Structure formats: C-alpha cells, structure tokens
C-alpha cells in the first residue's frame, strides 16, 4: 500500500457480484459496517487530501444490486462485469451515483466476444463508447 500512496496506484476489492463473495463482503464488523464498506472507507482515508483522485481505488462489480457508499472515496472505481457478465451502462450509472467522474468500467469481455475480426471489434468498441457517453459529460 505504501507504493500506491507514493503515486503508483492500486485497486482493492470492495464488492463483487460473485456469489461466494457475499459471505465475506457483506459480513458486518463490530461497528456495523459491511466488510465492503470498510474497504471503501479505508481507501477514502488514504485518498484524503489528494488534489485529484487519490492513488487507492476500489473494485465494485457492475452487476450488484447495491454498492457500498462511494461518496467519500475520492479515488477511482473499477467496475468489472459490464456486457458479457450482464452489467449495463445504466447499472454503472446507478451504482456509481455522483461518482461517475471516477468510474473505469471494464468492458474487455464484451468487446472481445464480438471478435475475431477487426471490424467486429471496432463495432463493439463503438457501441460501448456510445453506451457510456454519459461518462464524458
């Protein structure tokens, strides 16, 4: 973690939609927070005071029904699960809330399954860029 704080960056797992993850990620700590929320809060503490986004990001699955509170994170949010795993651009918008400026949606499976021709891959990228146009706003 020291290297991340020194400007190199790291993503830590906060909440996935993998069925086996819920048992740990939704477990409650002594103060009542979920383990997922503790991960987000710890990342937020390390990002506090950064001029731009901090160096500690979190991973939050795009297919979750509800994400931990990301409002104080001040860091990047990696959202895997878009496309091939069922997550949509609207799911990303819903889960990220007012933190859309920090979201990095992972769409690699969605794009790659369109291949193998370069034209098909370009079309998939174009559709994905259009679907996420709200991130550029």
């Amino acid at each position: 973690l020291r290297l991340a704080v020194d400007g190199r960056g790291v993503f830590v797992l906060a909440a996935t939609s993998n069925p086996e993850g819920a048992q740990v990620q939704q477990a409650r700590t002594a103060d009542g927070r979920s383990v997922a929320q503790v991960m987000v809060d710890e990342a937020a503490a390390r990002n506090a005071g950064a001029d731009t986004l901090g160096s500690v990001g979190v991973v939050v699955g795009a297919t979750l029904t509800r994400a931990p509170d990301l409002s104080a994170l001040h860091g990047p949010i990696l959202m895997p699960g878009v496309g091939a795993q069922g997550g949509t651009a609207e799911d990303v918008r819903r889960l990220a809330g007012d933190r859309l400026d920090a979201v990095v949606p992972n769409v690699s499976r969605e794009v790659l399954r369109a291949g193998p021709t370069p034209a098909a891959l370009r079309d998939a990228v174009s559709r994905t860029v259009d679907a996420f146009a709200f991130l550029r706003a």
Side-chain angles (χ1 to χ4, degrees):
L1 204 53
R2 181 182 56 77
L3 292 175
V5 175
D6 288 342
R8 294 192 176 121
V10 67
F11 281 95
V12 295
L13 180 60
T16 70
S17 55
N18 296 334
E20 61 276 7
Q23 183 177 5
V24 172
Q25 296 161 15
Q26 295 309 314
R28 298 289 168 180
T29 61
D31 65 6
R33 294 179 297 163
S34 69
V35 170
Q37 189 62 57
V38 169
M39 297 305 293
V40 172
D41 293 348
E42 288 294 321
R46 284 167 173 76
N47 291 333
D51 291 333
T52 59
L53 291 180
S55 299
V56 182
V58 297
V59 179
V60 174
T63 57
L64 291 169
T65 55
R66 197 171 64 105
D69 179 5
L70 302 167
S71 61
L73 178 62
H74 195 57
I77 305 161
L78 179 62
M79 282 202 180
V82 175
Q85 292 174 278
T88 66
E90 287 307 313
D91 290 328
V92 170
R93 183 193 302 259
R94 176 181 51 79
L95 292 168
D98 65 353
R99 297 305 327 278
L100 284 172
D101 62 326
V103 172
V104 179
N106 185 333
V107 297
S108 57
R109 284 189 192 176
E110 178 67 7
V111 170
L112 290 174
R113 78 179 185 171
T117 68
L121 292 169
R122 276 192 296 275
D123 288 345
V125 168
S126 180
R127 284 191 305 274
T128 302
V129 167
D130 289 346
F132 282 95
F134 62 84
L135 291 178
R136 295 188 305 266

